[in-house]
Amino acid sequence: MSNKLRQRRVETTGASPEKFSDVDYDDSKKYGKEIVPVETAITGHKIAFTVLTLLGFFITFYKIWNPAEVVFDEVHFGKFAGYYLRRTYYFDVHPPLAKLMIAGAGYLLGFDGHYDFANIGDNYVDHQVPYIGLRALPATLNVISIGLIYQIMKESGYALLVCILSTAMYIFDNAMVTQNRLILLDSMLVVFMLATIYCYVKFRKLRHVSFSIEWWGWLTLTGVFMALTVSVKMVGLFLVALIGLSVIYDLWMLLDIKRGLTMNQFMKHFYARAFSLIFVPTVIYLFWFYVHFAILNESGPGDDFMSTRFQDTLKNSPLKMAALEVHYGDEITIKHKDTNAYLHSHDLHYPLRYEDGRISSKGQQVTAVLEPNENCYWRIKPAKSENNTNDDEPHLVKNGDIIQLEHVVTGTNLLTHDVASPYMPTNEEVTTVPLDTRYDETLFKIIFESDNNDILETHMTSFRLIHEDTKVAVWAHNQKLPEWGLEQLEVNGNKNAVDKTNYWSAQDIKGKNATLINAHKANKERGHMPFIKKFIELQGRMISHNAGLTKPHPYQSTPITWPFMVRGVSYWSHEESRSQIYLTGNLFGWYLSVGGLAVFAGILLADVLARRRGIEPIEEPVRHRFIQSAGFFVVGWALHYFPFFLMGRSLFLHHYLPAATVNYLVLGAMYQFIFVDGIDCPVSIGGRGRITRAEVTWKLYAAVIVTVALQVAMFIYLAPLTYGLPMTLEQVQNHQLLSGWKLQYAK
């Protein structure tokens, strides 16, 4: 290409000059397009970008101080920021980055975390919380998201008006404004998601100058922002899937022998992507958890979610303060970790014959109860070969010791044997026998869950009781025995001795007061747990707890309803003024965006069918962008939407916002195709061939102006629900546009 042509010709609509960086369109009239100097298009983009960013700033920050009360999930994420500032350990199902950012903003604003954001509707001013500054962080990130949407469309080669369209649709979306100006996590999630897409687009445009500094830079930044996205919420994994699929496709194309790459060259591409998109993100993701653990070193409300070993690493842990070393001869209560029930026995016996006809030993019942009583005390005794307890020095119980457990009230020893348990014929019955009888069958080996401590301590040490004779583990489960067992929980010998639910812990020692004994140990040395083990434990707890969030909620909804906004979410309300914040998207924009998806599917299907008949209705450069760019956006939308159908937890409309954001990119791509690129018709249809440039320009202007005007009109109408403005009863009723919306004070 000559130096003159390297000015990169652009369309009158202002398509990005980079569009011509890969293909030299010598005959621009072939596509019905006029050419203008690149400087003109760049100036147009700069003006549009600046105006839209300023407009987005105003829309986002408008009345950000209203209400001066806690709104929706600010009760959680404001509270979590306070925990960081007080260095108090908490538990949440989301990774720590966004909450660290909020805490950092609070620190810079002089907030010390004294307020706990207890209830929706609590007054910020009364508690001296710099809430405007805290809300300014997500609001600022929303403005950055606006700029990123424009730049993604521009760098993808879309026309100036199309860039304006996608950006304006996002700016005037009520759901985006509502969600992204409160002390919530979604603004961070969306901005990092868009930054990842932008960096990846920039990287792909440099595919013909592989391994240049700029190529490496954008590839690495893609991995960095991808990691930041996952570090905000686990749903950031949907973005990882999008980039991953795109990279796999990219590598598959590079593997084609027609590309002329040797295998050594191909492996260089593979290793570059593996380093930038796997290794770098992994390190960044781990880093934020390292910071999380380093800051939260004080015991707090999240202790109970973690293992005793984890809690042992926290300062002033109540469990650590209450922990006592267990000696032989101590009378202890023993609690099952999985059911939170206490090992128990009483002077009642198993029936000779169960309901299914099986025969029992008719021995003394051993059960588990949720509330401890005198029948829950067991004296721990050494085996005859263990430490001699006849001397004056008490001996500590250690990991791997062989012990006996004597039921104190009935004076019998714990035993299990090869007799089927009441409910589980595959497991062994657990009973007790008189002292000094069946000695070998009353021996159990105590095995600690962790090798971190060799001494048995109350509360802190989890252990299994493995029967020496039959090698089963003493175990309890939630099934209740019949009336003959007082409806207490069954205890039996689990033949799967390594089952993770076999663990117990000593709780209390009769006659010993941990508070008094440990008064001189107030500064107990904290335990140590390697970072990677803390990380793995927390990841497991986050995933399991998130899956367990199934409690019904009046505003929960199903994914099938989200694109059509069947049900919103009430965030805040004030009865006297009838003002309220209600999460709902822009009805016009969301419905139109769904239509854009349908148009994409229809065009793709029509193109496939036409090509099967030997007809190519779409010119190859246009088809390439339609599939590569619009298709990329559609896959991004699908990956941020369809996985929610597989989730069992309670879901809400705000879970759809990342998908709705990407949907506006799809909508812009469809406008580009319909009003700019068009469809080539080799066979005249209705007397018309290809649309001319003049028609395209006029229709594109008209389409964008009408679309944005309708989006703005709907935004303004729903603005009272977005900004929490006062309304009359009639206005509230008029704003309940869909029957599924449950606005406050509508009746």
Side-chain angles (χ1 to χ4, degrees):
M1 187 182 292
S2 67
N3 291 332
K4 184 176 181 181
L5 289 176
R6 285 188 183 278
Q7 289 184 319
R8 293 183 181 176
R9 302 157 299 178
V10 294
E11 304 171 84
T12 52
T13 50
S16 173
E18 287 82 352
K19 175 179 179 180
F20 297 96
S21 61
D22 295 329
V23 181
D24 182 11
Y25 293 103
D26 291 326
D27 186 6
S28 61
K29 294 182 180 180
K30 174 182 177 182
Y31 300 100
K33 300 168 185 176
E34 300 174 7
I35 305 304
V36 296
V38 65
E39 291 80 4
T40 303
I42 291 176
T43 301
H45 277 297
K46 285 182 177 179
I47 294 173
F49 178 80
T50 302
V51 171
L52 288 170
T53 302
L54 292 175
L55 181 61
F57 181 89
F58 173 77
I59 294 296
T60 304
F61 278 85
Y62 178 71
K63 288 185 176 292
I64 197 172
W65 54 85
N66 180 62
E69 297 178 358
V70 179
V71 177
F72 190 53
D73 277 351
E74 288 184 337
V75 296
H76 298 305
F77 303 121
K79 182 183 300 181
F80 295 156
Y83 287 144
Y84 279 119
L85 296 171
R86 300 199 305 272
R87 309 198 69 172
T88 303
Y89 188 78
Y90 74 92
F91 175 81
D92 183 39
V93 297
H94 302 300
L97 175 57
K99 292 160 290 184
L100 282 167
M101 294 171 66
I102 297 171
Y107 177 80
L108 294 175
L109 292 167
F111 180 55
D112 60 5
H114 64 277
Y115 177 58
D116 62 358
F117 296 79
N119 302 295
I120 295 176
D122 284 357
N123 192 283
Y124 281 131
V125 178
D126 293 345
H127 295 93
Q128 298 180 325
V129 178
Y131 73 100
I132 297 177
L134 293 176
R135 288 177 180 172
L137 171 63
T140 300
L141 295 178
N142 187 59
V143 177
I144 296 174
S145 294
I146 291 168
L148 284 170
I149 289 176
Y150 188 94
Q151 292 299 325
I152 288 170
M153 298 303 290
K154 173 178 173 289
E155 294 298 330
S156 297
Y158 291 99
L160 172 63
L161 285 176
V162 173
C163 297
I164 293 172
L165 172 71
S166 291
T167 309
M169 296 298 282
Y170 180 88
I171 292 173
F172 291 102
D173 190 306
N174 301 78
M176 307 305 176
V177 177
T178 299
Q179 191 76 10
N180 295 337
R181 63 194 235 123
L182 299 173
I183 309 172
L184 305 175
L185 310 186
D186 298 84
S187 180
M188 294 78 162
L189 178 70
V190 170
V191 74
F192 291 139
M193 176 192 74
L194 291 172
T196 305
I197 294 174
Y198 172 73
C199 291
Y200 188 71
V201 170
K202 293 286 288 185
F203 162 72
R204 284 286 292 141
K205 290 178 65 177
L206 296 167
R207 59 191 177 276
H208 298 305
V209 286
S210 300
F211 303 106
S212 64
I213 294 177
E214 193 176 4
W215 183 91
W216 271 109
W218 288 114
L219 176 61
T220 304
L221 282 175
T222 300
V224 169
F225 283 113
M226 186 170 66
L228 296 181
T229 307
V230 182
S231 299
V232 171
K233 282 188 176 183
M234 295 296 286
V235 293
L237 290 172
F238 302 156
L239 178 69
V240 174
L242 173 64
I243 300 300
L245 289 174
S246 183
V247 168
I248 290 172
Y249 174 80
D250 184 29
L251 289 173
W252 177 253
M253 298 303 292
L254 290 173
L255 191 60
D256 188 351
I257 195 171
K258 296 178 182 178
R259 302 294 293 267
L261 292 181
T262 66
M263 281 306 298
N264 285 336
Q265 291 172 323
F266 172 80
M267 291 308 298
K268 287 181 180 179
H269 278 276
F270 175 82
Y271 291 137
R273 288 159 175 79
F275 173 80
S276 299
L277 302 179
I278 298 178
F279 177 76
V280 170
T282 300
V283 171
I284 293 173
Y285 185 70
L286 289 171
F287 171 76
W288 295 117
F289 280 92
Y290 182 86
V291 174
H292 176 78
F293 294 139
I295 294 176
L296 302 178
N297 60 4
E298 295 276 354
S299 176
D303 290 15
D304 291 342
F305 291 93
M306 312 308 295
S307 68
T308 53
R309 185 182 179 189
F310 190 106
Q311 294 180 52
D312 190 28
T313 65
L314 301 173
K315 292 180 181 178
N316 303 315
S317 168
L319 285 183
K320 185 68 174 177
M321 293 301 102
L324 291 171
E325 294 173 338
V326 179
H327 299 79
Y328 284 110
D330 284 343
E331 298 175 9
I332 62 175
T333 57
I334 303 174
K335 185 178 181 180
H336 186 235
K337 289 187 66 177
D338 192 55
T339 60
N340 290 320
Y342 291 80
L343 189 65
H344 171 277
S345 187
H346 45 220
D347 194 15
L348 295 175
H349 293 257
Y350 295 113
L352 177 61
R353 188 181 298 273
Y354 297 124
E355 289 80 355
D356 59 3
R358 290 184 297 109
I359 302 297
S360 79
S361 69
K362 207 178 179 181
Q364 182 172 305
Q365 295 176 17
V366 174
T367 62
V369 295
L370 296 177
E371 295 294 334
N373 53 47
E374 284 297 311
N375 281 317
C376 294
Y377 280 99
W378 300 82
R379 182 178 291 111
I380 189 165
K381 303 183 297 184
K384 291 177 181 178
S385 60
E386 296 292 324
N387 296 323
N388 182 5
T389 57
N390 294 326
D391 54 28
D392 295 332
E393 184 68 25
H395 292 276
L396 294 167
V397 181
K398 298 181 179 180
N399 188 21
D401 282 358
I402 309 299
I403 65 170
Q404 285 183 309
L405 287 173
E406 176 188 339
H407 187 243
V408 176
V409 173
T410 60
T412 55
N413 283 335
L414 187 72
L415 170 145
T416 185
H417 52 180
D418 195 14
V419 175
S421 67
Y423 279 140
M424 304 180 70
T426 57
N427 286 9
E428 293 186 359
E429 175 190 272
V430 177
T431 182
T432 65
V433 294
L435 304 180
D436 300 324
T437 63
R438 303 174 66 176
Y439 174 76
D440 289 340
E441 295 177 89
T442 63
L443 299 180
F444 294 85
K445 187 173 186 177
I446 185 167
I447 300 178
F448 295 176
E449 181 178 17
S450 170
D451 296 330
N452 195 46
N453 189 5
D454 194 45
I455 304 299
L456 178 62
E457 289 184 297
T458 58
H459 304 290
M460 298 303 301
T461 310
S462 300
F463 58 83
R464 290 178 291 146
L465 291 171
I466 305 298
H467 190 232
E468 276 290 277
D469 185 36
T470 61
K471 305 305 179 185
V472 299
V474 179
W475 178 71
H477 61 121
N478 283 315
Q479 189 163 2
K480 294 181 179 179
L481 296 168
E483 290 185 8
W484 54 258
L486 304 181
E487 297 186 346
Q488 295 169 0
L489 304 185
E490 183 191 25
V491 172
N492 61 43
N494 187 356
K495 290 186 177 180
N496 182 8
V498 296
D499 193 314
K500 293 182 179 180
T501 62
N502 287 335
Y503 286 99
W504 303 76
S505 63
Q507 294 296 297
D508 299 312
I509 302 177
K510 196 171 215 177
K512 293 187 179 180
N513 187 311
T515 304
L516 295 176
I517 292 175
N518 290 320
H520 66 285
K521 299 182 181 179
N523 295 319
K524 278 189 173 183
E525 183 179 350
R526 286 189 293 159
H528 172 71
M529 187 175 182
F531 163 73
I532 195 65
K533 289 190 175 181
K534 294 176 75 173
F535 170 79
I536 292 172
E537 178 179 333
L538 181 55
Q539 289 294 117
R541 300 296 167 91
M542 287 164 54
I543 294 170
S544 61
H545 192 73
N546 186 60
L549 296 176
T550 57
K551 185 179 179 181
H553 191 282
Y555 290 101
Q556 72 182 63
S557 53
T558 56
I560 193 66
T561 67
W562 294 345
F564 309 101
M565 231 172 308
V566 173
R567 174 174 294 183
V569 184
S570 179
Y571 276 14
W572 170 87
S573 61
H574 187 268
E575 185 173 4
E576 185 175 333
S577 62
R578 294 192 182 88
S579 55
Q580 59 188 293
I581 294 178
Y582 189 84
L583 179 70
T584 180
N586 189 305
L587 278 172
F588 172 76
W590 282 33
Y591 279 46
L592 184 64
S593 296
V594 173
L597 293 168
V599 168
F600 176 87
I603 293 173
L604 190 63
L605 178 61
D607 180 66
V608 171
L609 293 176
R611 286 174 178 266
R612 292 293 290 175
R613 300 304 300 168
I615 302 172
E616 297 184 4
I618 305 176
E619 295 173 350
E620 190 54 38
V622 174
R623 184 174 184 271
H624 181 78
R625 175 163 58 190
F626 181 79
I627 295 176
Q628 296 289 320
S629 180
F632 177 74
F633 296 150
V634 171
V635 172
W637 169 83
L639 288 173
H640 283 84
Y641 176 53
F642 289 114
F644 286 105
F645 285 89
L646 304 177
M647 297 184 185
R649 59 155 294 175
S650 298
L651 297 169
F652 302 87
L653 181 64
H654 60 78
H655 288 114
Y656 183 67
L657 296 188
T661 300
V662 179
N663 206 351
Y664 284 136
L665 303 180
V666 177
L667 182 65
M670 292 304 96
Y671 269 63
Q672 173 84 21
F673 181 84
I674 295 171
F675 297 106
V676 178
D677 294 332
I679 300 179
D680 195 26
C681 302
V683 179
S684 179
I685 301 176
R688 296 185 70 236
R690 184 172 177 79
I691 300 174
T692 68
R693 163 55 41 191
E695 291 175 315
V696 167
T697 303
W698 178 84
K699 290 188 177 183
L700 178 62
Y701 272 101
V704 170
I705 291 172
V706 171
T707 301
V708 173
L710 291 173
Q711 180 83 345
V712 172
M714 180 59 71
F715 175 84
I716 293 173
Y717 185 77
L718 295 175
L721 302 178
T722 302
Y723 296 112
L725 304 178
M727 290 188 289
T728 65
L729 176 60
E730 182 180 2
Q731 288 175 327
V732 173
Q733 293 172 340
N734 290 338
H735 279 77
Q736 189 159 292
L737 299 180
L738 299 178
S739 60
W741 292 11
K742 304 297 180 184
L743 300 185
Q744 300 290 331
Y745 323 118
K747 296 182 180 180

